[in-house]
């Protein structure tokens, strides 16, 4: 089989890429291994993710499906704050806006259906093996159908949208895959009924906002409504914490969730599980050299930092949009002689994710400073970042991000393609960067993130607890 | 370094209904929103600019820490001028 563009994975990144290609008159093949609808995590969208859906002409479907409308993010912890969803108008003034929360089984199926309706060929099958030319250039993949039969699909460009499966990285077509900074965290989540929500229809107290709760460094939870009754609840802690409790995931989730924050405890007093608890450990990683001759990795297929501020879908959708002009140019013959025809796109995406990473890191390292920034000092800049406007075409890195870097004592350099966005086994110790492995030994997150202060992880954690206790009660 | 009286007053008001602070080492126990307002007050009413790097909870934990911060800033201003 032959095609111009082969998309591996029919998640939001893959489907969006297909719809955007269709607009350019290119009809790709999407290879998806699972029967849809299927469960997936990642339910809260940024403002820009919602805006992209509108650009794709999907607003009507979104409204008809009655997806919960998100007006902002409320954070409860030693410092508490709210950031509204906002867009920028033509004069770059902030205007209030809203976006959606999605039950992914429905949303992903809708997206894939739309991609198909607009001309993509959807094939049920697994990309099993990358096929290279004699001089090592990606030429296509071998796909395996559910009945076990195989066939080669040849393509001029492969878009790897395989999510955490990171297909091309596993096939060693890309550069190495490294563990990310939040690799020592573990996430538990489930759909439940009976969570107490806020009651208004817009603003800070809107009933369908994303709520984030935290206790101390690296211990947090989320509440994201997926319909008028069901809420996605999540809990993220250092894996070591879970191991030490010697409990089943279900028991740990139920007993630990209320401990995260009194405000969360209040909201989950009387909950009923709609399904059992899902668990994802070691979710943080980074693939180097994720673009090259004939391929681009999009979204989770090359990098995932941490879910705390709901950037995953936004990155997958937006990277798909940013990639398409490069794909179109390549198909028309441009850049064929270059070692990496998608070099510019690669650096562009890394820069944006670096901005997010610095933001998440500062949130944990300096929660009080972060809250002052959110409240007034850099409110507009952080409103942009939370809306997913983190690309250099969007006035980034903003003064807020530059300040985060200063406070984290971190420099970012994009002059040298081989070492920008240095992988961060511990990002404070680039030399410790480790290759990602599914069975990496459990270390504590604190140890992993140790800034080289020479202090024991427990001392670090206690110091953090002491300094935040001084803040008194939740504001 | 002496903490300006109006700043002390402001802190005591923010702490209400807790009694005014007497011990320089007792935790101020101002909630997070209160602390954010405190920073704004220091800047607008006391002319003390708090740098981003100084926004560490510890600096605002007790009167002593806050006094140290202000002293340090005053010293920094002297040596740089
Ligand atoms: C705990 C947690 C919470 C999160 N919460 C949020 C959130 O609130 N908001 C948010 O925006 N993001 C969140 N995310 C991130 C979000 O889930 C992802 O970023 C998003 O799903 C990425 O989309 P994608 O299209 O890149 O990949 P995916 O959605 O993972 O889609 C990949 C698709 O590829 C298919 N596939 C994989 N391998 C192959 C193969 N070899 N052949 C064929 N098909 C294949 C898979 O079946 C899948 O359908 C969260 C992540 C985690 C871990």
């Amino acid at each position: 089989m032959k095609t111009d563009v082969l998309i591996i994975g029919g998640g939001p990144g893959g489907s969006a890429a297909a719809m955007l290609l269709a607009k350019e008159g290119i009809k790709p093949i999407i290879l998806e291994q699972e029967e849809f609808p299927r469960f997936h995590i990642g339910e809260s969208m940024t403002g820009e993710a919602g805006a992209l859906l509108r650009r794709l002409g999907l607003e009507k479907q979104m409204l008809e499906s009655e997806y919960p409308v998100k007006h902002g993010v409320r954070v409860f912890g030693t410092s508490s704050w709210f950031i509204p969803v906002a867009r920028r108008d033509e004069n770059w003034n902030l205007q209030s806006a809203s976006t959606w929360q999605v039950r992914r089984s429905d949303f992903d199926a809708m997206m894939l259906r739309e991609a198909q309706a607009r001309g993509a060929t959807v094939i049920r099958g697994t990309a099993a093996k990358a096929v290279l030319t004699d001089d090592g250039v990606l030429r296509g993949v071998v796909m395996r159908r559910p009945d076990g039969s195989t066939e080669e699909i040849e393509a001029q460009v492969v878009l790897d949208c395989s999510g955490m499966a990171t297909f091309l990285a596993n096939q060693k077509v890309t550069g190495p895959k490294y563990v990310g900074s939040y690799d020592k965290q573990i996430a538990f989540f489930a759909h439940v009924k009976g969570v107490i929500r806020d009651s208004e229809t817009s603003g800070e107290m809107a009933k369908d906002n994303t709520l984030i709760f935290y206790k101390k460094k690296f211990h947090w939870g989320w509440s994201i409504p997926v319909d008028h009754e069901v809420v996605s609840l999540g809990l993220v802690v250092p894996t070591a914490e879970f191991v030490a409790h010697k409990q089943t995931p279900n028991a740990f989730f139920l007993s630990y969730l209320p401990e995260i924050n009194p405000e969360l405890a209040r909201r989950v007093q009387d909950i009923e599980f709609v399904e059992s608890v899902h668990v994802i450990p070691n979710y943080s990683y980074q693939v180097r050299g994720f673009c090259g001759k004939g391929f681009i990795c999009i979204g989770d297929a090359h990098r995932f930092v941490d879910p705390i501020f709901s950037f995953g879908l936004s990155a997958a959708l937006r990277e798909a949009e940013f990639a398409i002009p490069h794909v179109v140019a390549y198909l028309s013959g441009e850049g064929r002689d270059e070692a990496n025809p998608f070099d510019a796109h690669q650096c562009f995406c890394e820069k944006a994710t670096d901005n997010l990473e610095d933001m998440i890191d500062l949130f944990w390292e300096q929660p009080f400073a972060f809250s002052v920034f959110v409240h007034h000092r850099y409110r507009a800049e952080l409103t942009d970042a939370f809306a997913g406007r983190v690309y250099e075409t969007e006035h980034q890195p903003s003064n807020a991000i530059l300040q985060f870097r200063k406070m984290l004592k971190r420099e970012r350099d994009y002059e040298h393609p081989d070492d920008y966005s240095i992988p961060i086994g511990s990002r404070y110790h680039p030399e410790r960067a480790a290759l990602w492995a599914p069975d990496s030994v459990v270390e504590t997150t604190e140890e992993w993130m140790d800034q080289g202060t020479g202090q024991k992880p427990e001392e670090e954690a206690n110091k953090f607890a002491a300094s935040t206790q001084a803040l008194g009660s939740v504001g | 370094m002496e903490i300006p009286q109006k700043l002390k007053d402001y802190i005591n008001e923010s702490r209400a209904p807790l009694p005014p602070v007497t011990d320089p080492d007792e935790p101020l126990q101002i909630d997070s929103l209160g602390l954010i307002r405190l920073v704004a007050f220091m800047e607008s009413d006391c002319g003390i600019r708090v740098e981003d790097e100084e926004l560490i909870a510890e600096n605002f934990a007790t009167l002593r820490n806050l006094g140290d911060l202000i002293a340090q800033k005053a010293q920094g201003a002297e040596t740089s001028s």
Side-chain angles (χ1 to χ4, degrees):
Chain A
M1 213 182 294
K2 256 185 158 173
T3 178
D4 283 339
V5 182
L6 169 65
I7 298 174
I8 301 171
S15 295
M19 286 185 242
L20 292 155
L21 282 169
K23 271 192 180 173
E24 303 293 330
I26 299 163
K27 302 195 167 163
I29 292 180
I30 301 180
L31 188 57
E32 169 56 55
Q33 64 185 7
E34 299 223 27
E35 177 86 50
F36 278 28
R38 52 105 179 84
F39 179 88
H40 204 295
I41 191 58
E43 294 140 332
S44 186
M45 291 205 188
T46 65
E48 288 300 323
L52 177 45
L53 295 180
R54 293 188 183 101
R55 281 201 291 286
L56 284 170
L58 296 170
E59 182 162 19
K60 194 162 154 267
Q61 274 98 319
M62 296 303 291
L63 293 174
E64 278 169 7
S65 306
E66 296 184 7
Y67 288 113
V69 176
K70 168 180 168 183
H71 293 269
V73 184
R74 281 186 88 183
V75 175
F76 301 88
T78 45
S79 293
S80 303
W81 37 270
F82 171 73
I83 282 273
V85 174
R87 64 183 176 84
R88 290 281 181 178
D89 65 16
E90 345 31 275
N91 302 316
W92 205 249
N93 291 319
L94 282 170
Q95 303 293 349
S96 76
S98 63
T99 185
W100 292 283
Q101 319 278 22
V102 292
R103 176 184 267 118
R104 289 287 300 273
S105 49
D106 299 340
F107 175 72
D108 291 14
M110 180 277 280
M111 290 285 282
L112 191 58
R113 250 191 341 262
E114 271 298 319
Q116 194 165 19
R118 296 178 190 196
T121 303
V122 179
I123 300 180
R124 176 80 200 289
T126 303
K129 196 171 167 306
V131 181
L132 307 179
T133 61
D134 292 340
D135 45 2
V137 175
L138 186 67
R139 202 185 68 197
V141 308
V142 174
M143 70 130 154
R144 196 179 52 241
R145 295 196 184 80
D147 66 7
S149 63
T150 60
E151 183 176 340
E152 194 175 312
I153 307 179
E154 208 176 301
Q156 297 199 55
V157 181
V158 173
L159 299 181
D160 181 0
C161 303
S162 64
M164 292 202 161
T166 58
F167 173 72
L168 286 181
N170 289 1
Q171 294 285 309
K172 308 229 182 305
V173 171
T174 63
K177 176 177 177 179
Y178 289 98
V179 289
S181 13
Y182 294 86
D183 179 72
K184 301 304 163 205
Q185 297 286 89
I186 187 167
F188 303 85
F189 43 90
H191 285 174
V192 305
K193 288 183 184 175
V195 176
I196 296 175
R197 301 194 199 181
D198 293 331
S199 53
E200 290 175 19
T201 49
S202 66
E204 178 165 358
M205 302 293 281
K207 64 186 192 325
D208 290 335
N209 284 342
T210 294
L211 312 181
I212 302 287
F213 309 87
Y214 68 93
K215 179 184 185 178
K216 53 183 182 184
K217 208 170 186 176
F218 311 138
H219 297 65
W220 63 280
W222 77 71
S223 164
I224 299 170
V226 292
D227 65 26
H228 62 277
E229 209 180 4
V230 178
V231 168
S232 164
L233 277 185
L235 168 69
V236 184
V237 297
T239 308
E241 178 92 34
F242 167 62
V243 173
H245 273 73
K246 297 195 168 70
Q247 282 177 308
T248 63
N250 257 313
F252 181 72
F253 184 76
L254 267 181
S255 64
Y256 207 93
L257 212 49
E259 280 181 39
I260 285 288
N261 185 287
E263 185 57 34
L264 179 55
R266 175 180 81 79
R267 290 168 189 261
V268 299
Q269 275 168 15
D270 195 13
I271 54 172
E272 176 195 334
F273 283 90
V274 175
E275 42 148 35
S276 60
V277 173
H278 302 259
V279 185
I280 301 188
N282 307 109
Y283 52 67
S284 188
Y285 54 83
Q286 184 175 353
V287 175
R288 302 286 293 157
F290 63 86
C291 297
K293 241 189 187 125
F295 69 92
I296 298 176
C297 301
I298 287 171
D300 280 15
H302 70 91
R303 189 170 178 184
F304 189 69
V305 180
D306 189 85
I308 188 157
F309 295 143
S310 307
F311 290 132
L313 276 173
S314 190
L317 295 169
R318 302 204 70 201
E319 286 184 13
E321 188 174 40
F322 289 125
I324 298 313
H326 298 281
V327 174
V328 173
Y330 185 79
L331 289 177
S332 71
E334 274 176 45
R336 295 280 172 144
D337 306 326
E338 289 167 26
N340 183 356
F342 305 117
D343 201 23
H345 174 73
Q346 176 173 290
C347 188
F348 180 80
C349 295
E350 282 299 50
K351 283 180 180 172
T353 314
D354 286 350
N355 292 338
L356 296 179
E357 186 171 67
D358 296 338
M359 182 170 157
I360 297 170
D361 290 348
L362 194 91
F363 170 76
W364 286 124
E365 295 302 330
Q366 306 276 359
F368 174 55
F370 196 92
S371 65
V372 175
F373 292 178
V374 167
H375 272 277
H376 51 93
R377 256 179 215 193
Y378 299 110
R379 189 156 177 82
E381 289 87 341
L382 290 176
T383 301
D384 280 333
F386 274 94
R389 285 183 291 278
V390 288
Y391 295 88
E392 58 189 334
T393 44
E394 296 165 326
H395 304 271
Q396 295 286 2
S398 66
N399 284 336
I401 303 284
L402 293 175
Q403 190 56 38
F404 291 171
R405 281 189 196 151
K406 214 161 123 199
M407 295 173 77
L408 293 164
K409 301 190 175 52
R410 178 177 302 168
E411 280 171 28
R412 299 279 195 181
D413 163 20
Y414 299 95
E415 294 303 311
H416 310 97
D418 291 332
D419 45 57
Y420 60 65
S421 312
I422 284 287
I424 22 160
S426 151
R427 72 204 105 100
Y428 306 110
H429 299 281
E431 73 282 1
R432 258 179 49 185
L435 289 179
W436 189 89
D439 54 354
S440 74
V441 276
V442 171
E443 284 181 64
T444 66
T445 308
E446 288 81 358
E447 190 183 339
W448 191 244
M449 309 278 258
D450 170 19
Q451 293 187 54
T453 53
Q455 270 174 317
K456 291 224 164 58
E458 311 91 78
E459 286 172 21
E460 279 271 340
N462 290 342
K463 209 177 105 200
F464 179 83
S467 76
T468 51
Q469 259 157 25
L471 290 174
S473 62
V474 172
Chain B
M1 172 77 188
E2 228 2 72
I3 296 176
Q5 189 56 45
K6 61 177 166 185
L7 185 52
K8 276 191 193 158
D9 293 344
Y10 184 85
I11 288 169
N12 286 330
E13 265 168 49
S14 308
R15 266 165 59 91
L18 290 175
V21 195
T22 46
D23 176 355
D25 290 316
E26 81 175 271
L28 291 182
Q29 294 196 42
I30 301 173
D31 71 16
S32 59
L33 208 56
L35 275 189
I36 289 161
R37 292 204 185 101
L38 174 65
V39 171
F41 181 83
M42 284 170 69
E43 301 202 323
S44 60
D45 289 57
C46 309
I48 306 171
R49 160 83 191 171
V50 184
E51 299 303 327
D52 291 345
E53 291 84 351
E54 292 160 351
L55 291 168
I56 297 167
E58 258 175 296
N59 283 340
F60 303 87
T62 62
L63 279 189
R64 187 183 304 281
N65 291 5
L66 188 57
D68 288 350
L69 174 72
I70 296 172
Q72 214 181 320
K73 293 176 72 66
Q75 215 174 28
E78 252 165 52
T79 45
S80 67
S81 63

